[in-house]
Amino acid sequence: MREVYVAGIGITTFTRLEYPLSEIAAYPAMMALKDAGITDVDHLYVANMGSARVNHQTALASAVVDSLSLTPAGAAVVENGPASGASAIKAGFAAVASGMHDVVLVTGAERMREVNNLEATDFIATLTHPLAEYIYGVTLPSHAAMFTRLYMEKYGVTERHLAMVAVKNQNNAMLNEFAHLHQPITIEGILDSPEAMTNNPYVAEPLRFFDACPVSDGGAAVILVSEDVAKTIDRPLVRLAGIGQATDTHAVHEREEPTDLLAVRRAAAQSFEMAGLTPQEVDVAELHDAFTILEIVESEEVGFFPKGEGHIALEKGETALDGSLPINPSGGLKGKGHPVGATGVAQAHEIVAQLRGEAGDRQVEGARVGFTCNFGGFGNNVVCLTFVRED
Amino acid sequence: MAREIYAYKCRKCGHLHYPFRMVCKGCRQNDFFAFDIVPLPKNGKLLTFTRVYNLPAEFEVPTLGLGMVELANGLRITGQLEVDDPQIGMAVRGDVKVVRKTAYEKFYGMVFTAA
């Protein structure tokens, strides 16, 4: 396999965007092309989950490749639920590593705010088991809630720990101009004060409003290139060193140990093994905190902390921006937003920016190894990426 | 006739599955029509639960209880929960009822109450 480098990155603001979906995909791609100083692309992958259902548009990649005037380059959509983004990066990686292509543009985009919040939640819920889960009204918040209750019972995680993740990530998002939520929150306001039940009602007990990510529109892009091309580009050299992907049962109740996220554990282990690194060598990570509980659990399953001790590391401030292992400096899905198809690419965008030293006020000083976990389904399809700054 | 929800028992190794899958997870025997259907037991133990407040519009209720139950034969199922003060580990009993309605269809599933 050839080595694969990230030559360019681009992102839109995550918010409600009044642009066609194809433009939300094309805009960050243009930024990435400018960033890399590249005009020719061999292949385009577009990561998207809901264009057909939410935006009444199919074959999105054909629209985007033409809008970017990149025809006749190859183009295809990668739809893999909320893990579409990192899955598209994996496809791009394979294309470059195999020698099939030298320059692959990966852009992820979603426009979910075209429909109301209930419809957006229902759209995401269509990834659940149609007969064993979806018909009952099971949504992603309800999966996360039932999982959280087990975690609380078994490991002593409390609503306070969940609120601490929300506060940390929304504060990080304050430093990110592209983040959806620019709203500082406090533990007092969302948990302790008499108004907390009004400010922060339950959406699925024991998860509250501020435990869930917002519904966002947005796009993000990366350009993956071979070593020969990377050497001609005047940008800091960041290598995509490891990729892991693992799946788990579709129906959550079929898992042997319901508090394990085995697909996260396996995808992370694969990614680290491929990169020849350990979780302890990571300087900065973006984990898929669609719900606050997931940041805590993923930080354990990927190997940063022992199982059941993620919330203790959080309490000690280890995962804060100035901690020993900053998690979600971008604000994560919680603060930055979660346009589902874009999320995995946006995580990669943040890590590359961090490793280049271009992350501004939220820069993790001297970061050289970065990691992302893109969590699809309710943990049934997970892709983890490991990035290394080389020069 | 009372409605049932079925588990799928592998004809080769006896492994029980719910929900249906095409290939047995126990022996991975790759044959078509490789399962016998067995009604799911109705009694079980509540493993975890939630009360949801942001339901898809067609539910026409403001909130809904959901739970994961370990049934008497060890299989687990996710279903609706009609219990006022649910507790992890409590005994529950399932009935097959309409759990979701659209303009054209009714979907039947397991609804649990305190046993």
Side-chain angles (χ1 to χ4, degrees), chain B residues 27-86:
Chain B
C27 64
R28 300 187 66 205
Q29 163 181 244
N30 192 358
D31 275 350
F32 294 108
F33 312 111
F35 300 100
D36 290 318
I37 58 170
V38 186
L40 280 178
K42 300 287 165 55
N43 287 302
K45 182 179 78 170
L46 186 61
L47 291 180
T48 181
F49 60 92
T50 183
R51 175 157 290 282
V52 189
Y53 296 86
N54 57 344
L55 289 160
E58 69 214 45
F59 276 89
E60 295 178 345
V61 289
T63 138
L64 187 67
L66 294 170
M68 195 187 288
V69 172
E70 188 166 301
L71 297 167
N73 63 356
L75 278 181
R76 299 198 199 113
I77 181 171
T78 304
Q80 291 179 357
L81 187 66
E82 290 177 355
V83 177
D84 286 341
D85 181 26

Side-chain angles (χ1 to χ4, degrees), chain A residues 324-375:
Chain A
S324 53
L325 173 51
I327 293 178
N328 288 325
S330 72
L333 284 61
K334 175 71 195 91
K336 184 170 65 180
H338 185 22
V340 275
T343 284
V345 187
Q347 291 178 317
H349 175 280
E350 175 68 12
I351 291 300
V352 173
Q354 289 282 352
L355 299 188
R356 283 176 171 187
E358 293 174 352
D361 291 340
R362 62 182 193 284
Q363 178 66 44
V364 176
E365 284 310 318
R368 297 194 67 83
V369 176
F371 179 83
T372 69
C373 177
N374 190 193
F375 181 92

Side-chain angles (χ1 to χ4, degrees), chain A residues 38-226:
Chain A
I38 285 178
T39 48
D40 291 328
V41 164
D42 298 326
H43 199 282
L44 168 72
Y45 281 110
V46 177
N48 172 268
M49 178 173 169
S51 73
R53 192 171 198 281
V54 178
N55 315 101
H56 205 70
Q57 179 173 13
T58 56
L60 184 62
S62 314
V64 176
V65 74
D66 185 39
S67 180
L68 289 167
S69 297
L70 290 174
T71 51
V77 170
V78 175
E79 193 275 298
N80 196 23
S84 298
S87 301
I89 290 178
K90 183 182 176 183
F93 177 96
V96 175
S98 67
M100 192 174 191
H101 296 307
D102 289 317
V103 180
V104 174
L105 171 59
V106 180
T107 186
E110 206 72 59
R111 189 177 174 207
M112 305 166 70
R113 306 223 31 142
E114 191 163 333
V115 295
N116 66 41
N117 257 335
L118 292 180
E119 281 182 54
T121 301
D122 187 47
F123 147 56
I124 303 293
T126 59
L127 65 77
T128 63
H129 196 289
L131 293 174
E133 295 177 336
Y134 180 78
I135 57 161
Y136 291 104
V138 168
T139 55
L140 272 290
S142 33
H143 268 318
M146 288 192 279
F147 182 86
T148 302
R149 197 179 294 281
L150 287 174
Y151 231 76
M152 287 175 156
E153 183 94 352
K154 189 163 178 185
Y155 296 111
V157 173
T158 63
E159 287 193 22
R160 181 162 304 268
H161 294 113
L162 304 181
M164 286 168 72
V165 175
V167 170
K168 171 178 79 70
N169 290 355
Q170 286 200 211
N171 283 344
N172 289 352
M174 296 294 289
L175 306 173
N176 182 354
E177 61 185 312
F178 302 110
H180 189 159
L181 301 183
H182 284 152
Q183 177 190 29
I185 54 172
T186 62
I187 297 275
E188 198 198 353
I190 65 170
L191 195 69
D192 288 343
S193 77
E195 291 82 29
M197 271 311 280
T198 312
N199 295 341
N200 193 17
Y202 286 113
V203 292
E205 290 169 3
L207 294 180
R208 296 169 184 249
F209 179 78
F210 280 101
D211 289 314
C213 63
V215 175
S216 316
D217 301 336
V222 297
I223 297 173
L224 302 176
V225 300
S226 63

